[in-house]
Amino acid sequence: MFPRSIESGGGQVHQSAEFSVDPVVTSSQSEALVGIDDVQKSLNRSRASVYRYTNTDPRNLNPPFNPRKLNPEYRSDQKDPLLFHPNEVARFAKDVLRIKEVTVEVLNSPSTATQQMLGAILEELKQIRSHLEATDVAPSDLGAARRDRQERPAA
């Protein structure tokens, strides 16, 4: 899943890394993000060294981009886990660790109960929309009907 190999050919030794990640869905984005454990496995480094590579600052929750460090995604709270975009991990592996061949592969995770519920809601909203589009009452007619009801005196 996270192979990292050193290949030799023609007298030259070069490193290659391949990243396969499962997406972590957040409320504002549906990009595939990886946790510290996946970065550790993909870079074949210790957990402590990955934390040393990471661009963090105890005084600043989201420090500015540092090209010599592994930059995590935006966090809203100090307790949020460090998450990394696979392209950032690949950039770091290539530019800083000097791994020559880097391949990023994003795999879809199995459907969760939340994703299934959101799919059902989307289907229901599509049905409601098609039903509304099929009715003869135009939206402007609905507004006129509402005004007529408000103008009538109460009994």
Side-chain angles (χ1 to χ4, degrees), residues 67-105:
R68 300 298 303 158
K69 295 275 191 172
L70 180 59
N71 296 283
E73 290 296 306
Y74 175 82
R75 296 188 297 162
S76 58
D77 186 8
Q78 193 75 25
K79 295 177 183 173
D80 289 346
L82 290 172
L83 296 175
F84 304 89
H85 194 281
N87 290 340
E88 172 61 15
V89 177
R91 180 207 61 85
F92 179 77
K94 184 178 176 187
D95 297 347
V96 178
L97 298 179
R98 305 281 191 235
I99 296 174
K100 302 256 187 261
E101 295 177 21
V102 176
T103 305
V104 177
E105 179 181 342

Side-chain angles (χ1 to χ4, degrees), residues 126-150:
K126 286 179 182 179
Q127 290 174 358
I128 291 170
R129 181 180 193 146
S130 64
H131 178 72
L132 288 175
E133 288 173 349
T135 60
D136 294 335
V137 180
S140 60
D141 295 341
L142 290 174
R146 179 180 289 164
R147 274 181 262 134
D148 289 344
R149 278 193 309 237
Q150 290 174 349

Side-chain angles (χ1 to χ4, degrees), residues 1 57 98 108 144:
M1 186 167 159
D57 182 0
R98 305 281 191 235
N108 289 328

Side-chain angles (χ1 to χ4, degrees), residues 24 27 38 47 49 142 151 153:
V24 175
S27 59
D38 292 332
R47 190 177 184 88
S49 65
L142 290 174
E151 292 173 1

